[in-house]
Amino acid sequence: MGKIYFGSCHCKAIKFRFFSKEKVNLIKCNCSICSITNYLHLIIPHKEFKIIKGKNRILTYKFNKNLAKHFFCKICGIKSFYQPRSHKNSYSINYNSILKAPKINKIISFDGKNYEKNLKNITN
């Protein structure tokens, strides 16, 4: 069973909606960008996600292998979702940016500092 949820950046210039189960698994990564922002990943397929406001307010940042696309609001600077390199057909939504978020089933720790070695732990 699932339902539609909504999220946004801090200033609400960017808003989105997505369909998700009502009880979800999240990923907590210790890589250099996730750990510093306390990002909690909720993986949602592209087809279940839609930007409903502010496409023109999105800035993209890439680093390292340039495979992930980190999307930031150009007004408030918040990354509420992005395109991870680990899940090419899905977005990662920051659970902390969701209004009336789904319940958490479990949080999976991911050693993103050793990405290649541990990737299988989050993509199976």
Side-chain angles (χ1 to χ4, degrees):
M1 189 122 178
K3 67 181 214 176
I4 295 175
Y5 292 91
F6 295 88
S8 71
C9 62
H10 182 258
C11 72
K12 307 217 180 345
I14 299 169
K15 293 183 178 182
F16 55 90
R17 72 173 182 235
F18 63 96
F19 183 82
S20 172
K21 295 177 183 176
E22 295 180 50
K23 202 166 185 184
V24 297
N25 293 338
L26 303 176
I27 300 169
K28 184 166 180 69
C29 176
N30 68 354
C31 79
S32 62
I33 197 164
C34 293
S35 60
I36 200 167
T37 60
N38 197 31
Y39 199 99
L40 282 175
H41 301 262
L42 173 58
I43 305 299
I44 298 294
H46 289 157
K47 66 181 181 181
E48 303 294 347
F49 179 91
K50 181 172 174 72
I51 297 170
I52 55 176
K53 179 184 175 190
K55 279 186 185 179
N56 61 336
R57 305 286 174 123
I58 295 173
L59 293 175
T60 303
Y61 170 70
K62 296 182 196 178
F63 71 104
N64 195 0
K65 298 190 182 215
N66 292 317
L67 298 174
K69 294 178 185 171
H70 300 269
F71 304 124
F72 295 86
C73 172
K74 64 180 167 180
I75 296 171
C76 68
I78 295 299
K79 177 177 83 169
S80 49
F81 67 95
Y82 80 107
Q83 175 60 63
R85 66 180 171 149
S86 60
H87 295 80
K88 293 175 179 50
N89 297 314
S90 300
Y91 289 115
S92 172
I93 298 172
N94 187 348
Y95 184 80
N96 297 313
S97 70
I98 303 168
L99 308 169
K100 299 179 185 173
K103 302 283 184 221
I104 298 172
N105 182 49
K106 69 178 174 177
I107 298 177
I108 301 160
S109 292
F110 175 65
D111 182 8
K113 289 180 182 176
N114 298 292
Y115 179 87
E116 303 296 336
K117 179 178 165 187
N118 296 296
L119 184 59
K120 65 186 178 307
N121 296 332
I122 60 168
T123 57
N124 289 339

